[in-house]
Structures are given as structure tokens and as C-alpha cells.
Amino acid sequence: MNRLIKSGLMFGNLVHVSSPALVERYNRALKHLTGKTTQLTDFYIDFSGFSPEIGFELDDTLYLNHAGVNRQFILLTTNQKTAPLLEAKFSTSRGILRQFIEENEDALFALTARDAVAGELVNSVYDMSSPARLFDIRRITIEADTTGGAIRQAQKLDTKVAQFLNDQDAWFDDVLISQMITLAGETGDVVRNPIKLKEMSFDQRNYWTDHFGGIYLFQDVDHPALITGGDKAILNDLPIDHVFDLSERNRIARFLELNDLAEPIVKARGVDAGAILRQKMDFILVDALAGQGVPIEGRSRTDMRRLAREHAGKLPKEFHALAALVNWAENGGPWPRITSEHPAYFYTLRAAAHKDADLINMLLSQLTSKDIRQLFICHKPLFYELYQHWPDEKKDYVVEFLRNEYQIDKVGARKALFGREAPMEDMVARVGPWGAVRK
């Protein structure tokens, strides 16, 4: 994994904690949340305040996420919102934390100037003893305060200020005035500079979880289903009618179609479908040739085409099907019949425009794991797991590609792959296995 770390593709953009003051604040928050402290004087933290170094020190990578539920967090700075979220057990956690920071940024900036903010993503589930427990997770509420209780104290001061203003005899209440002065010394002027965090709750109905081998649960759709990347046999007696594993391609394709969750890339508006499909072909080509004694690192597009011609007999069905689709889209070639049973089918899709697009792209990346770019963007835990078993030639190619082709313009790459642009006036309705073809 050293290639990834050195290239900033793993543990990249973490926040460095090195000053004694910040380390001391972190330890107060850690003690407050877990009863533990660190002896380290220099470490890095992710979005939630989790540190891989402290996880190693404590021999507990879930020290802020006990049992993988109700994730806790420590905020030393609002800059943590640009860091990755490590050891994520639910796909919704980062989005919830990011929205919490953005909605409360001014208050959090003021609070973290003096103390750490510690909190928790709270739901009613405290263990994952069985898959049925996933259905008890319905709403996530954020609870947070500084380790010194600044928000709690500010609420007390607000109450006493209101009492002082509304009670005609309050001017003569020396005890009330003394309490207000004491609290104001701890919180500052809450009248001019209110210290409040918005009460925030989030529905969690459609999500991915790392539990039980990796599960995609879709409850808030017209046709609910659960899709597992693990052992379907352990998923008995669940309160949902449809349970699939990743081998049931027809049923997954039908689920996506019935709920309008995915669209064919060649039908997507405002994208260069041919360029996207050709890049997927390169990734499939590299996967097929890596470890076969064929040099693949640093190859140009012309070189990749030559390799494809020379080794056509070694290339899988996915490559040839995508080549035929590119030929149809760009050169008016014959329509390739690519049904959901075909191994290339899910390579031809991306999420449609809806609130769960990221979740669908995550599912599609697991179904098309040879597409290393989409896998890295949408499903990093699986990317890191699979990376360990790739031949060195593929590892070198992947690191070089992601460093030179993706990292230099992450926003542009994601927009090109998944973003939505204004409709093109000359857009042709295309269908085939994706609908009715008209050219």
C-alpha cells in the first residue's frame, strides 16, 4: 500500500495535529467520549477526528465508532470537512457530518478557536448483532458540544437572560445577576455572539453499510430491495420482500430499471460517452494483460490500441462489447445486444439524476470493479481491498493513472463521469437493452 500512501491516494489530505494546544484539546475530547487518551504528540486525523496512528496505539481502529454504529467525532477545526472519512461503516456518515459543519460553520469556527467540539451521530441502534437491526436505523441525530460544555452553558445563560428581561423584579435579584456574570465569563456575550448549533436530524433509509459483508439497503424507493456483497444465506427473516446478492445480475438490473435509478452512458446528456467507454476499455485491457509479461505502464492511447489488437484473443467479453458500443455510438456501426446477463452490461450504466446517485454509483462500481477510476472514486474500501491482490504491473498503472489523470482535476473528472449538464439540442433518444433504439 506504500505506493498509494506516497502518492496521496491513501490517507491523503488528513489534518496534521502537532501543536501541544491542539493535542491537549484532542485528548480532553477523547477522554470525554471514550475515557481514553493518547500519548502521541504528533498525529493525523480524518473528517471525524479519527487518527490511524491513535487507532494503532490503542489497538482499536473503531475507538470513535464502537461496534460500527453511532459514530463519534472530534472537531479541532472546520478544515476537517475537506479530509476523507476513514473506517466508514455507513455510506451516509460523511455526508451527514459535512452538512452539519456547513450548516454550523460560523458557530463551530468560534467554538473550535477555544476548545474541541465532541459529538456523536446518534440512532436507536447500539449493536449489529443481526442483519435485522439495520431496519431499526431510521433517523440519525447529531449531538455535539465542546468538552467544556460551552453550548450547554450558553443555553443556561440564554434562559437566565430571558428571565432577567421578562421578570420585573430581576434587577434586584443578586443571585440571578451573579449567575449570569459567572456564565458569561465562560461563554462570552451570547446576546451579541450567540453560541448555538442547529439541531439536525437525517433520515437514513437508503444506504450502504460495511456490516455483514457489505449491504446496500433501499427502503425509500417504489420497489424496495436489499443487495448484499456477502453471504445471502445469513439474511433470513428480514422485513423486506426482495433480497439479492451480486451474482443475481438480472434481478439487480430489473431493480434499477423499475426504480429509475440508472441510465445508459450513451443516453446521458452532456457527456462524451465514447471517451468514458474507451477509458473503461483501457482499464479492462490492463486487468487482462497485467502479470502476463506485457509492459503496460506509461502507455499512450495509441499504444493501448496496439496492445488491444495484438492481444485481442486474451481480452474478455466486456472489452469487445464496449468496443462495439463505441463503434455504434460514434461510427454508426451495428447495434450491440448487451443484456443484463452480459458481463459488460453494468459497465454501460451510471446513476440517473436523483438523491441517491452516489449510492447507485457505489453499487455500480462494485459490479464493475475492473473500472479502477470509478471504483476509487465511489467505493474506496473495496478499492483498497482489491488493490492488495493485483499484480505489480497493474498497481503501477493504477497509481500512475490516478495520480496524473484523476488527482490533477478531481472535480472535472467527477463532473464528466457523473455530473449533469444542460440538454443537448441534437440529443438522439437511444435505447436497445436500455430502451427503444432510434438513430
Side-chain angles (χ1 to χ4, degrees), residues 96-113:
I96 289 173
L97 281 172
R98 184 177 183 86
Q99 191 169 338
F100 169 71
I101 289 180
E102 290 178 344
E103 288 292 322
N104 294 282
E105 192 143 12
D106 291 342
L108 289 170
F109 182 83
L111 290 167
T112 54

Side-chain angles (χ1 to χ4, degrees), residues 26 30 33-34 36 46 48-51 54-55 58 60-74 85-94 97 119-123 125-128 137 140 204 208-211:
Y26 186 92
L30 185 59
L33 290 175
T34 69
K36 303 174 183 178
D46 75 350
S48 71
F50 165 76
S51 168
I54 295 176
L58 300 176
D60 182 7
T61 57
L62 296 178
Y63 71 89
L64 286 182
N65 195 15
H66 181 68
V69 293
N70 296 304
R71 181 145 191 167
Q72 297 171 308
F73 59 89
I74 298 172
L85 182 66
L86 307 178
E87 299 294 336
K89 296 298 181 181
F90 290 90
S91 60
T92 52
S93 297
R94 191 178 193 281
L97 281 172
E120 185 173 344
L121 276 60
V122 181
N123 63 65
V125 174
Y126 296 95
D127 70 83
M128 278 290 122
I137 300 174
I140 307 297
Q204 181 154 309
W208 169 87
T209 176
D210 182 58
H211 294 285

